[in-house]
């Protein structure tokens, strides 16, 4: 059995040394799908590599100069105001949208341990952190949480160590994942450098994780992700059910997490933080 991890920035108990991982939903297969990765000192890691020997090689986003560079004026403006409010820290520099960039809205909440930024598309563009934005449904969130130690931050990442004895699936581009099926659930996992990626599906609902996994591999061939100090994890779901497409990584005692309704949106926003 394995669990997905939700990093809740407002829950102080997570930040106490020795804190345990929280689970967003219970995974019920007989084995815990996982992936082990070797720590690499490469300057850039990509999520999907042509072979295990090139996992940690540097890649550039093929799309970085296509849409994002011509549609990011609104998020640049909002990020400037965010920096004025919480200081100059890492944050997504693209909105991850395919349209309606000019109606992007942003607000945030913070506490002693970090902050959460909410991204939404409104009927109109509103002022940064306007009180009325709380009623808009976010399409993505970005969390930064400071833990008491590196070990605590590592523990909070839902990273899966490699497991043998499971069926192997060819996902293309030299990527091979393992799949765990059981109790009406299926989890397909593969590894890339310090990252693990897992896609969940429910066969009893007629779902299969393979098709989405292949789509993700194609996206990871286009977009590079930040390099975790030790571990990172992408956890995705075939079902579009709220902000359940997540990318989480650790840098020292700091944990970053992007959650989105669209896996592509989450990947684009995370990728923008690698540049």
């Amino acid at each position: 059995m394995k669990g997905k991890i939700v990093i809740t920035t407002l829950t102080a108990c997570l930040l106490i040394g020795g804190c345990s991982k929280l689970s967003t939903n219970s995974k019920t297969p007989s084995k815990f799908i996982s992936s082990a990765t070797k720590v690499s000192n490469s300057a850039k890691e990509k999520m999907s590599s042509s072979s295990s020997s090139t996992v940690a090689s540097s890649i550039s986003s093929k799309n970085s100069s296509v849409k994002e560079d011509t549609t990011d004026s609104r998020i640049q403006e909002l990020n400037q105001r965010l920096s004025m409010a919480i200081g100059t820290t890492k944050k997504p520099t693209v909105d991850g949208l395919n349209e309606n960039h000019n109606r992007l809205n942003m607000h945030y909440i913070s506490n002693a341990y970090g902050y959460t930024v909410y991204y939404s598309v409104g009927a109109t563009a509103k002022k940064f952190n306007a009180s009325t934005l709380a009623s808009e449904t976010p399409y993505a969130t970005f969390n930064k949480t400071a833990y008491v130690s590196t070990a605590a931050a590592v523990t909070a990442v839902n990273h899966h160590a490699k497991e043998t004895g499971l069926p192997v699936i060819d996902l293309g581009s030299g990527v091979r994942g393992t799949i765990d099926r059981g109790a009406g659930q299926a989890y397909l996992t593969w590894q890339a450098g310090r990252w693990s990626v897992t896609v969940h599906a429910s066969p009893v609902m007629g779902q299969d994780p393979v098709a989405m996994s292949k789509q993700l591999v194609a996206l990871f061939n286009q977009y590079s992700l930040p390099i975790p100090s030790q571990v990172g994890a992408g956890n995705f779901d075939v079902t579009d059910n709220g902000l359940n497409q997540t990318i989480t990584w650790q840098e020292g005692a700091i944990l970053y997490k992007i959650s989105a309704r669209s896996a592509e949106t989450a990947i684009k926003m995370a990728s923008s933080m690698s540049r």
Side-chain angles (χ1 to χ4, degrees):
M1 308 291 180
K2 67 177 184 177
K4 289 186 177 179
I5 305 304
V6 167
I7 309 303
T8 307
T9 60
L10 300 180
T11 307
C13 67
L14 279 178
L15 308 170
I16 301 174
C19 61
S20 60
K21 296 187 283 184
L22 298 180
S23 176
T24 53
N25 67 339
S26 296
K27 295 184 178 181
T28 55
S30 58
K31 294 184 178 179
F32 187 62
I33 302 175
S34 58
S35 67
T37 56
K38 294 182 179 180
V39 174
S40 168
N41 291 324
S42 61
K44 188 79 70 169
E45 293 189 48
K46 65 178 180 179
M47 292 289 295
S48 176
S49 60
S50 59
S51 67
S52 58
S53 64
T54 60
V55 159
S57 64
S58 173
I59 63 172
S60 298
S61 169
K62 296 179 181 178
N63 291 348
S64 61
S65 61
V66 180
K67 288 187 178 181
E68 289 82 1
D69 289 350
T70 58
T71 58
D72 60 3
S73 59
R74 173 66 175 165
I75 194 170
Q76 286 181 354
E77 173 191 345
L78 294 173
N79 274 346
Q80 289 177 355
R81 297 189 178 279
L82 179 63
S83 295
M84 292 175 62
I86 62 176
T88 304
T89 62
K90 290 185 177 182
K91 60 182 72 67
T93 58
V94 303
D95 57 28
L97 296 169
N98 291 322
E99 58 184 358
N100 299 321
H101 307 276
N102 62 334
R103 291 194 279 119
L104 171 69
N105 287 320
M106 182 190 298
H107 71 284
Y108 79 99
I109 58 175
S110 63
N111 59 22
Y113 307 105
Y115 55 83
T116 300
V117 183
Y118 297 84
Y119 303 83
S120 59
V121 174
T124 60
K126 298 180 180 180
K127 291 183 179 180
F128 170 75
N129 223 39
S131 59
T132 55
L133 293 179
S135 62
E136 288 190 357
T137 301
Y139 70 84
T141 61
F142 169 60
N143 305 89
K144 176 185 176 182
T145 305
Y147 283 76
V148 295
S149 67
T150 296
V154 169
T155 299
V157 178
N158 190 15
H159 182 272
H160 305 143
K162 188 175 182 179
E163 186 174 355
T164 60
L166 293 171
V168 176
I169 305 294
D170 185 354
L171 299 176
S173 300
V175 178
R176 295 165 67 83
T178 56
I179 189 165
D180 188 5
R181 303 178 188 271
Q185 306 298 317
Y187 298 90
L188 201 162
T189 297
W190 68 97
Q191 305 81 41
R194 302 171 192 176
W195 290 84
S196 68
V197 185
T198 299
V199 177
H200 167 258
S202 178
V204 296
M205 300 296 292
Q207 301 172 351
D208 188 278
V210 177
M212 182 177 186
S213 296
K214 290 182 177 180
Q215 292 172 356
L216 291 175
V217 167
L219 283 170
F220 293 141
N221 279 333
Q222 296 179 335
Y223 297 95
S224 60
L225 293 186
I227 303 174
S229 297
Q230 295 186 37
V231 292
N235 290 283
F236 303 95
D237 203 298
V238 172
T239 302
D240 180 6
N241 185 22
L243 303 174
N244 61 342
Q245 318 296 344
T246 66
I247 296 176
T248 310
W249 69 100
Q250 156 270 344
E251 295 182 13
I254 302 297
L255 197 74
Y256 296 103
K257 180 177 181 180
I258 293 177
S259 303
R261 292 180 174 275
S262 160
E264 181 177 356
T265 293
I267 292 168
K268 287 180 176 180
M269 293 178 74
S271 177
S272 74
M273 295 180 64
S274 70
R275 300 198 287 270

